[in-house]
Amino acid sequence: MIELEDVPELIDPVMVCAFEGWNDAGDAASTAVGHLDETWGGKVFTALDAEDYYDFQVNRPTVWLDGGVRRITWPTTRLSVVRVTEPTTRDLVLVRGIEPSMRWRSFCQELLGLAHELGVELVVILGALLGDTPHTRPVPVSGVTSDPELARRLDLEESRYEGPTGIVGVLQEAFTHAGVPAVTLWAAVPHYVAQPPNPKATLALLNKLEDLLDLRIPPGELPEDARAWQLGVDQLAAEDSEVAEYVQQLEEAQDTAELPEASGEAIAREFERYLRRRDNQGPSGEKPGPGRAITERAGEVMGSVEPVEPAEPAASPEAAADSAAEPTAEESAEEDDHNADGKGGSTR
């Protein structure tokens, strides 16, 4: 067990986790935790031993120059702490890493031990999956938990998924069985433009996290990046009539499915969120968002994707998570067929 000697006593700490890989479509979840770290100046206070959990032929270390000295950065999972002061003061323990290659039970037990030692009161795991959702609509984000009482208290979905899962699902169950309240927030990323980054999905996850924890998260440049991303995908889709038609079918299906939700209460909730986030807007350029060429990356993906017959949009991440795994180069052909099935669940 890692000894935490340099960490001060934390105030109402919440652990927020994200892992690159299978449960991080468009890098949306890991980028969201990175945004929190950059926004509040988090400092890494510990890291898990890379030798214990990673296959370095799968996740290779990187070499870099530090003032003329060559150094190596090993793939691992790192923890940092940030203090939030608005609207109330509390600490966030940020866990950011790569899905481990081996020893998942030991990995979860180590994070569980750290959470106990830090006095963590709630764990929120961020994930992103590929789904039949149009890029032109708000990103669907669902909150799920395996704890029935927590589901009722926080107005979350109770997970009913059965099937293959990733470290996100395993970690949520490990915390739940240990008596630590755990929630997973899932963002649905359009499967036809899955290449990272996806700032629109990242922003949607952060907005949902704001609602869940009653935080005020400065968005930095993410809103501008999200608009640029959508504009780029709009332009690329407009150049291909089959893709444009497919997107329109997804829009119609989603609008029809969501029509009963357009109640006065739902509209009031959304307006309250809008007012709160408008008050949270800081000065332009307050914190940098993802600095990659959004339009160029989207162009690479859109240019290489063959239009597929539209599937019924998933009603929730529970129905879409079998398409959540981001394919490797070897798996891409299988994944195209898999995403059209619309099976799976949000505990992956």
Side-chain angles (χ1 to χ4, degrees), residues 84-225:
V84 182
T85 58
E86 293 291 338
T88 59
T89 300
R90 79 180 317 163
D91 291 307
L92 301 182
V93 179
L94 305 180
V95 180
R96 186 183 183 191
I98 304 169
E99 183 176 67
S101 308
M102 61 192 81
R103 302 185 182 92
W104 282 22
R105 285 177 290 185
S106 297
F107 181 88
C108 293
Q109 285 301 312
E110 192 158 1
L111 287 179
L112 179 60
L114 288 167
H116 279 309
E117 192 167 351
L118 293 167
V120 168
E121 300 176 347
L122 174 69
V123 176
V124 181
I125 310 171
L126 305 184
L129 52 82
L130 300 179
D132 295 320
T133 180
H135 71 278
T136 53
R137 295 294 186 263
V139 175
V141 179
S142 295
V144 298
T145 181
S146 299
D147 184 337
E149 191 280 329
L150 190 64
R152 289 190 295 271
R153 179 159 56 89
L154 298 181
D155 191 23
L156 303 169
E157 297 179 30
E158 188 177 347
S159 177
R160 299 294 184 186
Y161 170 70
E162 296 177 296
T165 189
I167 193 61
V168 167
V170 172
L171 189 60
Q172 176 179 302
E173 295 309 311
F175 278 112
T176 300
H177 292 162
V180 179
V183 174
T184 301
L185 302 182
W186 287 100
V189 173
H191 69 83
Y192 58 88
V193 56
Q195 190 77 7
N198 190 318
K200 186 173 181 179
T202 294
L203 186 61
L205 280 170
L206 292 174
N207 288 342
K208 188 73 171 182
L209 187 65
E210 275 189 328
D211 293 340
L212 182 68
L213 301 181
D214 192 23
L215 298 178
R216 294 178 183 174
I217 303 173
E221 295 180 4
L222 278 173
E224 181 180 347
D225 289 342

Side-chain angles (χ1 to χ4, degrees), residues 143-339:
V144 298
T145 181
S146 299
D147 184 337
E149 191 280 329
L150 190 64
R152 289 190 295 271
R153 179 159 56 89
L154 298 181
D155 191 23
L156 303 169
E157 297 179 30
E158 188 177 347
S159 177
R160 299 294 184 186
Y161 170 70
E162 296 177 296
T165 189
I167 193 61
V168 167
V170 172
L171 189 60
Q172 176 179 302
E173 295 309 311
F175 278 112
T176 300
H177 292 162
V180 179
V183 174
T184 301
L185 302 182
W186 287 100
V189 173
H191 69 83
Y192 58 88
V193 56
Q195 190 77 7
N198 190 318
K200 186 173 181 179
T202 294
L203 186 61
L205 280 170
L206 292 174
N207 288 342
K208 188 73 171 182
L209 187 65
E210 275 189 328
D211 293 340
L212 182 68
L213 301 181
D214 192 23
L215 298 178
R216 294 178 183 174
I217 303 173
E221 295 180 4
L222 278 173
E224 181 180 347
D225 289 342
R227 286 189 291 270
W229 177 86
Q230 180 165 328
L231 179 60
V233 180
D234 283 344
Q235 293 172 342
L236 292 162
E239 296 173 1
D240 189 316
S241 59
E242 293 185 14
V243 173
E245 181 180 358
Y246 176 54
V247 172
Q248 183 178 3
Q249 291 173 348
L250 290 178
E251 291 172 339
E252 292 172 352
Q254 181 167 317
D255 292 346
T256 300
E258 293 181 349
L259 188 60
E261 296 299 323
S263 64
E265 183 178 350
I267 293 172
R269 283 198 306 267
E270 289 303 316
F271 186 62
E272 289 174 359
R273 292 189 182 108
Y274 163 74
L275 292 176
R276 182 165 62 252
R277 288 173 188 144
R278 185 185 64 177
D279 292 340
N280 292 345
Q281 300 291 327
S284 177
E286 182 175 1
K287 288 289 177 181
R292 286 172 278 185
I294 298 167
T295 302
E296 292 181 4
R297 284 294 188 89
E300 293 172 6
V301 177
M302 292 293 289
S304 63
V305 170
E306 293 291 336
V308 298
E309 290 298 321
E312 289 295 323
S316 72
E318 295 286 345
D322 268 351
S323 62
E326 287 193 289
T328 63
E330 293 81 7
E331 298 170 338
S332 59
E334 297 177 4
E335 277 298 305
D336 286 341
D337 294 335
H338 189 59
N339 288 335

